[in-house]
Amino acid sequence: MDNIIRCQWCVGNAVYEKYHDEEWGVAVYDDQRLFELLILETFQAGLSWIIILKKREHFREGFDHFDYRKIAQYGETKIQELMQNPGIVRHQLKIRSTVSNAAAFMKVQEEFGSFSNYIWRYTNGIPIVNHPKTVKDIASTSTLSDSISKDLKKRGFKFVGSTVVYAYMQAIGIVEEHIENCWKIKNNLGL
């Protein structure tokens, strides 16, 4: 895909370009993937997304392929094992929050039938499509991310501030925000 126009934030980095071309802004409804992306976004808080993407496979291996049922059962031994894993971001509070977030995730599933039902109800299952002119015009929060963040915190989730939630909304396709001249926009519109 040489000589194509992409959103500026990913240009020149093969890992970013692959993520942009194949995942970013694509609607996700599968609870397993929704959980994976939520956890990756929480680990990204305060860091660059490229760090997380480069460590993604290590996160998958370390966190049992993001099996939230297993993660919710992690005890101190597993937490300490993860703290010694150089392939992931070894932030104790984020590791511990992953365990509690897995339990909170399952409670949401119980209440709504799936986490997908819960998260997509905020937009009635319809992605919010924005076409900013430049990467500078891409938001980092919104009133919707503020609302979702507040509700997730009320439900016991951690590291889910409005900025993390907005990035999550972009990652799972609730917000599709490729810049107006990006090939993904033209492709999605059939141009």
Side-chain angles (χ1 to χ4, degrees), residues 29-52:
Y29 301 98
D30 174 70
D31 273 12
Q32 190 68 41
R33 291 234 23 253
L34 289 168
F35 183 73
E36 175 180 350
L37 290 166
L38 178 65
I39 296 310
L40 292 175
E41 290 293 350
T42 63
F43 269 92
Q44 186 269 332
L47 301 172
S48 170
W49 185 234
I50 194 67
I51 293 169
I52 303 305

Short mmCIF file of all heavy atoms in Angstrom, two decimals, residues 29-52:
data_model
loop_
_atom_site.label_atom_id
_atom_site.label_comp_id
_atom_site.label_asym_id
_atom_site.label_seq_id
_atom_site.Cartn_x
_atom_site.Cartn_y
_atom_site.Cartn_z
N TYR A 29 -17.54 -5.99 17.98
CA TYR A 29 -18.70 -6.40 18.77
C TYR A 29 -18.41 -7.62 19.63
O TYR A 29 -19.22 -8.00 20.47
CB TYR A 29 -19.89 -6.71 17.85
CG TYR A 29 -20.29 -5.52 17.01
CD1 TYR A 29 -19.85 -5.41 15.70
CD2 TYR A 29 -21.08 -4.51 17.52
CE1 TYR A 29 -20.21 -4.31 14.92
CE2 TYR A 29 -21.44 -3.40 16.76
CZ TYR A 29 -21.00 -3.32 15.45
OH TYR A 29 -21.34 -2.23 14.68
N ASP A 30 -17.27 -8.25 19.42
CA ASP A 30 -16.89 -9.45 20.14
C ASP A 30 -16.35 -9.08 21.53
O ASP A 30 -15.40 -8.30 21.64
CB ASP A 30 -15.82 -10.21 19.33
CG ASP A 30 -15.28 -11.39 20.09
OD1 ASP A 30 -16.03 -12.37 20.26
OD2 ASP A 30 -14.10 -11.32 20.54
N ASP A 31 -16.94 -9.65 22.57
CA ASP A 31 -16.54 -9.29 23.93
C ASP A 31 -15.07 -9.57 24.23
O ASP A 31 -14.44 -8.80 24.94
CB ASP A 31 -17.43 -10.01 24.95
CG ASP A 31 -18.70 -9.24 25.27
OD1 ASP A 31 -19.02 -8.27 24.57
OD2 ASP A 31 -19.38 -9.61 26.26
N GLN A 32 -14.53 -10.64 23.70
CA GLN A 32 -13.12 -10.95 23.94
C GLN A 32 -12.22 -9.84 23.39
O GLN A 32 -11.30 -9.37 24.06
CB GLN A 32 -12.74 -12.29 23.31
CG GLN A 32 -11.38 -12.82 23.71
CD GLN A 32 -11.31 -13.22 25.18
OE1 GLN A 32 -12.24 -13.82 25.70
NE2 GLN A 32 -10.22 -12.89 25.83
N ARG A 33 -12.50 -9.40 22.18
CA ARG A 33 -11.70 -8.31 21.58
C ARG A 33 -11.96 -6.99 22.29
O ARG A 33 -11.06 -6.17 22.45
CB ARG A 33 -12.02 -8.16 20.08
CG ARG A 33 -11.51 -9.34 19.28
CD ARG A 33 -10.62 -9.09 18.10
NE ARG A 33 -9.86 -7.89 17.99
CZ ARG A 33 -10.13 -6.88 17.14
NH1 ARG A 33 -11.16 -6.94 16.31
NH2 ARG A 33 -9.36 -5.82 17.08
N LEU A 34 -13.21 -6.76 22.68
CA LEU A 34 -13.53 -5.53 23.41
C LEU A 34 -12.74 -5.45 24.71
O LEU A 34 -12.24 -4.40 25.08
CB LEU A 34 -15.03 -5.44 23.68
CG LEU A 34 -15.91 -5.16 22.47
CD1 LEU A 34 -17.38 -5.38 22.80
CD2 LEU A 34 -15.68 -3.75 21.94
N PHE A 35 -12.62 -6.59 25.39
CA PHE A 35 -11.86 -6.62 26.64
C PHE A 35 -10.38 -6.38 26.36
O PHE A 35 -9.73 -5.58 27.04
CB PHE A 35 -12.06 -7.94 27.38
CG PHE A 35 -11.34 -7.97 28.70
CD1 PHE A 35 -11.80 -7.24 29.78
CD2 PHE A 35 -10.19 -8.73 28.85
CE1 PHE A 35 -11.12 -7.25 31.00
CE2 PHE A 35 -9.50 -8.75 30.06
CZ PHE A 35 -9.98 -8.01 31.13
N GLU A 36 -9.84 -7.05 25.36
CA GLU A 36 -8.43 -6.87 25.01
C GLU A 36 -8.11 -5.40 24.75
O GLU A 36 -7.16 -4.85 25.31
CB GLU A 36 -8.07 -7.69 23.77
CG GLU A 36 -6.65 -7.45 23.30
CD GLU A 36 -6.24 -8.24 22.07
OE1 GLU A 36 -6.98 -9.15 21.65
OE2 GLU A 36 -5.16 -7.95 21.52
N LEU A 37 -8.92 -4.77 23.93
CA LEU A 37 -8.64 -3.37 23.59
C LEU A 37 -8.83 -2.45 24.79
O LEU A 37 -8.08 -1.48 24.96
CB LEU A 37 -9.50 -2.94 22.40
CG LEU A 37 -9.07 -3.60 21.09
CD1 LEU A 37 -10.14 -3.42 20.01
CD2 LEU A 37 -7.73 -3.06 20.62
N LEU A 38 -9.79 -2.77 25.65
CA LEU A 38 -9.97 -1.97 26.87
C LEU A 38 -8.73 -2.05 27.75
O LEU A 38 -8.22 -1.03 28.22
CB LEU A 38 -11.21 -2.45 27.64
CG LEU A 38 -11.47 -1.70 28.95
CD1 LEU A 38 -11.80 -0.23 28.69
CD2 LEU A 38 -12.59 -2.37 29.73
N ILE A 39 -8.21 -3.26 27.93
CA ILE A 39 -7.03 -3.42 28.77
C ILE A 39 -5.81 -2.74 28.14
O ILE A 39 -5.05 -2.05 28.82
CB ILE A 39 -6.76 -4.90 29.07
CG1 ILE A 39 -7.92 -5.49 29.86
CG2 ILE A 39 -5.44 -5.09 29.80
CD1 ILE A 39 -8.34 -4.68 31.09
N LEU A 40 -5.63 -2.91 26.85
CA LEU A 40 -4.50 -2.25 26.19
C LEU A 40 -4.60 -0.73 26.33
O LEU A 40 -3.60 -0.06 26.57
CB LEU A 40 -4.42 -2.66 24.72
CG LEU A 40 -4.04 -4.13 24.48
CD1 LEU A 40 -4.11 -4.45 22.99
CD2 LEU A 40 -2.66 -4.46 25.04
N GLU A 41 -5.80 -0.19 26.18
CA GLU A 41 -5.97 1.26 26.33
C GLU A 41 -5.68 1.70 27.76
O GLU A 41 -5.10 2.76 27.97
CB GLU A 41 -7.38 1.70 25.91
CG GLU A 41 -7.64 1.60 24.42
CD GLU A 41 -6.85 2.57 23.56
OE1 GLU A 41 -6.19 3.49 24.08
OE2 GLU A 41 -6.88 2.40 22.33
N THR A 42 -6.07 0.89 28.76
CA THR A 42 -5.78 1.29 30.14
C THR A 42 -4.28 1.27 30.41
O THR A 42 -3.77 2.12 31.13
CB THR A 42 -6.52 0.41 31.17
OG1 THR A 42 -6.09 -0.94 31.07
CG2 THR A 42 -8.03 0.50 31.01
N PHE A 43 -3.57 0.32 29.81
CA PHE A 43 -2.12 0.30 29.97
C PHE A 43 -1.47 1.47 29.23
O PHE A 43 -0.40 1.94 29.61
CB PHE A 43 -1.52 -1.03 29.49
CG PHE A 43 -1.42 -2.04 30.58
CD1 PHE A 43 -2.45 -2.94 30.78
CD2 PHE A 43 -0.32 -2.09 31.42
CE1 PHE A 43 -2.38 -3.89 31.80
CE2 PHE A 43 -0.24 -3.02 32.44
CZ PHE A 43 -1.28 -3.93 32.64
N GLN A 44 -2.10 1.95 28.19
CA GLN A 44 -1.55 3.05 27.40
C GLN A 44 -1.61 4.37 28.16
O GLN A 44 -0.82 5.27 27.87
CB GLN A 44 -2.32 3.17 26.08
CG GLN A 44 -1.77 4.17 25.11
CD GLN A 44 -2.38 5.55 25.26
OE1 GLN A 44 -3.51 5.70 25.70
NE2 GLN A 44 -1.63 6.57 24.91
N ALA A 45 -2.49 4.50 29.13
CA ALA A 45 -2.65 5.76 29.86
C ALA A 45 -1.29 6.31 30.30
O ALA A 45 -0.54 5.65 31.00
CB ALA A 45 -3.56 5.56 31.07
N GLY A 46 -0.98 7.50 29.82
CA GLY A 46 0.27 8.16 30.16
C GLY A 46 1.46 7.73 29.31
O GLY A 46 2.57 8.22 29.51
N LEU A 47 1.25 6.81 28.38
CA LEU A 47 2.32 6.32 27.52
C LEU A 47 1.94 6.53 26.06
O LEU A 47 0.81 6.89 25.74
CB LEU A 47 2.56 4.82 27.76
CG LEU A 47 2.95 4.40 29.17
CD1 LEU A 47 2.95 2.89 29.29
CD2 LEU A 47 4.31 4.97 29.55
N SER A 48 2.85 6.23 25.18
CA SER A 48 2.59 6.27 23.75
C SER A 48 1.93 4.96 23.32
O SER A 48 2.31 3.88 23.78
CB SER A 48 3.90 6.47 22.99
OG SER A 48 3.71 6.30 21.62
N TRP A 49 0.95 5.05 22.43
CA TRP A 49 0.25 3.86 21.93
C TRP A 49 1.22 2.90 21.23
O TRP A 49 1.04 1.70 21.29
CB TRP A 49 -0.87 4.31 21.00
CG TRP A 49 -1.77 3.21 20.51
CD1 TRP A 49 -2.07 2.94 19.20
CD2 TRP A 49 -2.50 2.24 21.26
NE1 TRP A 49 -2.93 1.86 19.11
CE2 TRP A 49 -3.21 1.41 20.37
CE3 TRP A 49 -2.62 1.96 22.63
CZ2 TRP A 49 -4.02 0.36 20.77
CZ3 TRP A 49 -3.43 0.90 23.03
CH2 TRP A 49 -4.11 0.12 22.11
N ILE A 50 2.26 3.41 20.62
CA ILE A 50 3.21 2.55 19.92
C ILE A 50 3.91 1.59 20.89
O ILE A 50 4.19 0.44 20.55
CB ILE A 50 4.25 3.37 19.10
CG1 ILE A 50 5.00 2.46 18.12
CG2 ILE A 50 5.22 4.11 19.99
CD1 ILE A 50 4.19 1.89 17.01
N ILE A 51 4.13 2.03 22.11
CA ILE A 51 4.73 1.16 23.12
C ILE A 51 3.83 -0.05 23.36
O ILE A 51 4.29 -1.19 23.41
CB ILE A 51 4.97 1.92 24.45
CG1 ILE A 51 6.06 2.99 24.26
CG2 ILE A 51 5.32 0.96 25.59
CD1 ILE A 51 6.18 3.96 25.42
N ILE A 52 2.55 0.20 23.48
CA ILE A 52 1.58 -0.86 23.74
C ILE A 52 1.47 -1.79 22.53
O ILE A 52 1.47 -3.02 22.68
CB ILE A 52 0.21 -0.27 24.11
CG1 ILE A 52 0.33 0.67 25.32
CG2 ILE A 52 -0.80 -1.38 24.36
CD1 ILE A 52 0.96 0.08 26.56
#
